[in-house]
Amino acid sequence: QTLKTLKYTPTNSDLKLTPESKVTSYNNFYEFGTGKSDPAEYAHALTIDPWKIKVNGLVNTPFELGYEDLFNQFPLEERIYRLRCVEAWSMVVPWIGFPLSALLKNADIQSSAKYVAFETLHRPDEMRGQSSRFIGGNIPYPYTEGLRLNEAMHPLTILAVGLYGKSLPKQNGAPVRLIVPWKYGFKSIKSIVNIRLTAQEPATTWNLSAPQEYGFYANVNPNVDHPRWSQASERIITSGGLLDQKRIKTQMFNGYADEVAGLYQGMDLRKYY
Amino acid sequence: MTTRVKVIFFKTIIHLIAFGLLSINYYASITDQNGADPVKAIIHFTGIGALNLLLMSLLFSPIAKQLKQPWLMQCRRLVGLYSFCYTTLHILNFWWFELAFDVSLFLSELAQRPYIWLGLLAFLILLCMAMTSPLFVRRKMGAHWQQLHNWVYLAVILVWIHFYWSRKADIGETIIYITVIAFVLLLRKTKIKKWLALPKV
């Protein structure tokens, strides 16, 4: 696949980046298979241009964006975030995108809207995992995710259209995906075709699949373990072999507590995990 | 070929495969050529490898009987010991590479995670079997040896549940494994029934 070279505002960060080859070959994207290397192997089948993403629901001006609009309508900026997977590993990725709030503002949200629901493309003839439950891990498709409106409007929440200076490889969720850096990676839904403003909390795929393990909020929280493993620390996926591994303490809200803790004031994060 | 030559030949093949695959996987993981996450790769390889070897060890006696090749039974212990070796490395990999030798995290994970208990229980069964595998111990134990080694049927089921439980959602592979396990256990229907002394209904 040929990737577009993007024009964007670069940024600085002290974090050591995960090598591009690992970012693009170690993916959870069950639409192409449950193995970590399946997406890199099978995502070439996906057509991303033309693309259509709809913004609708409780908005006064619903609209659609096409493939080129994703790269032209909003100024692109680089964001270097740690992506903390619920499986207790993390990567540091230089994403390129724009704040989700910029897109939502264009839709003129109605006051009754409280949540934002996202949906991934459903195209079983190009996404092999959607055509067989044995390949696709037996989770319901299309993949759906959701955020509370104030989470969606938060300046850290972006729609990513690229990484490492180029447009997103298909296995990373081309042409457009969500990135919410203080939440576990599964919230960051890939290959989005629909963004809908709703009054009710939307159903989300992993919550439907295993509600006792994956909550709606899914905030990174070292104090609330997954039922089958500890979330207190994480292994960084970086360059280096077996003998060169690093395990670090997981930070509350993945290190963004100063920016986002206020969103959850008064909430019992054990209950709303 | 004499029986002795056949046994040596077959054991050499077992060594080449079991030790060879292990070496290749460790080499690739240490030099960061085993996928993006060499830790997951080596933990999964030794775990699945241990189950595969355990299942193979259970196929020796039915195959030897079917093909009337009793010398095959002399090779079974080696496969069983390789399964134990893979299991030990599986646990060590988890502790060393996944948890960075963090003792308290290792102990708290062992204590808190039911799917790990099952794996650990299976490991203890394999440990007892490995310790009683030398011929002089076997002779000394008499009939108790077989009784102890019958626990392998429980071990293989525990290992499967541990495997199934560790999965996030994809269970296709685990279904294939339980089918094979059901098959090797069905071959021993009478023996297992006797062993369990199931009450007649």
Side-chain angles (χ1 to χ4, degrees), chain A residues 22 25-26 30 34 87 134 137 206 214 225-230 233 235 237 240-243 245 247, chain B residues 26 29-30 32 36-40 42 96-99 105 109 112-113 115 165-170 172:
Chain A
K22 293 203 173 190
S25 65
Y26 192 77
Y30 280 20
T34 56
E87 297 164 1
F134 290 103
W206 278 106
Y214 309 102
D225 282 351
H226 185 279
R228 288 180 285 144
W229 56 84
S230 165
S233 56
R235 208 155 40 73
I237 308 277
L242 261 193
L243 303 172
Q245 293 298 317
R247 201 168 177 94
Chain B
Y26 271 101
S29 290
I30 288 168
D32 198 16
D37 188 357
V39 176
K40 274 272 155 355
I42 202 74
W96 186 353
F97 305 121
E98 175 71 45
L99 303 184
L105 183 58
E109 289 294 276
Q112 286 180 40
R113 318 289 164 199
Y115 87 98
W165 210 338
S166 71
R167 286 293 161 118
K168 225 163 129 189
D170 48 323

Side-chain angles (χ1 to χ4, degrees), chain B residues 56-185:
Chain B
M56 279 180 219
S57 76
L58 286 168
L59 283 170
F60 270 79
S61 107
I63 288 177
K65 259 181 231 156
Q66 199 67 41
L67 301 180
K68 301 195 170 59
Q69 302 290 330
W71 61 272
L72 272 173
M73 293 304 283
Q74 294 180 48
C75 305
R76 181 174 67 173
R77 182 176 64 170
L78 184 61
V79 176
L81 284 172
Y82 262 120
S83 176
F84 171 69
C85 163
Y86 271 55
T87 308
T88 311
L89 290 171
H90 177 64
I91 298 170
L92 200 66
N93 289 334
F94 174 64
W95 188 9
W96 186 353
F97 305 121
E98 175 71 45
L99 303 184
F101 268 139
D102 184 328
V103 178
S104 65
L105 183 58
F106 182 62
L107 293 178
S108 76
E109 289 294 276
L110 293 192
Q112 286 180 40
R113 318 289 164 199
Y115 87 98
I116 293 185
W117 300 348
L118 298 180
L120 208 58
L121 208 58
F123 169 72
L124 291 177
I125 294 173
L126 295 190
L127 177 67
C128 293
M129 290 171 63
M131 287 194 316
T132 56
S133 67
L135 280 176
F136 75 93
V137 182
R138 179 173 183 169
R139 274 191 218 110
K140 250 193 174 151
M141 287 180 72
H144 295 300
W145 188 89
Q146 190 57 55
Q147 278 172 351
L148 174 71
H149 282 244
N150 281 343
W151 284 80
V152 69
Y153 306 128
L154 178 63
V156 72
I157 292 169
L158 289 173
V159 169
W160 182 81
I161 302 173
H162 167 79
F163 175 44
Y164 175 83
W165 210 338
S166 71
R167 286 293 161 118
K168 225 163 129 189
D170 48 323
I171 52 165
E173 215 182 343
T174 60
I175 289 173
I176 297 171
Y177 273 96
I178 195 64
T179 314
V180 177
I181 291 170
F183 174 70
V184 298
L185 293 185

Side-chain angles (χ1 to χ4, degrees), chain A residues 59-80:
Chain A
V59 296
N60 290 323
T61 48
F63 62 90
E64 291 177 7
L65 293 181
Y67 180 77
E68 288 298 333
D69 299 331
L70 292 168
F71 303 95
N72 302 331
Q73 293 235 338
F74 307 91
L76 299 181
E77 45 187 294
E78 184 179 40
R79 299 280 182 99
I80 296 178

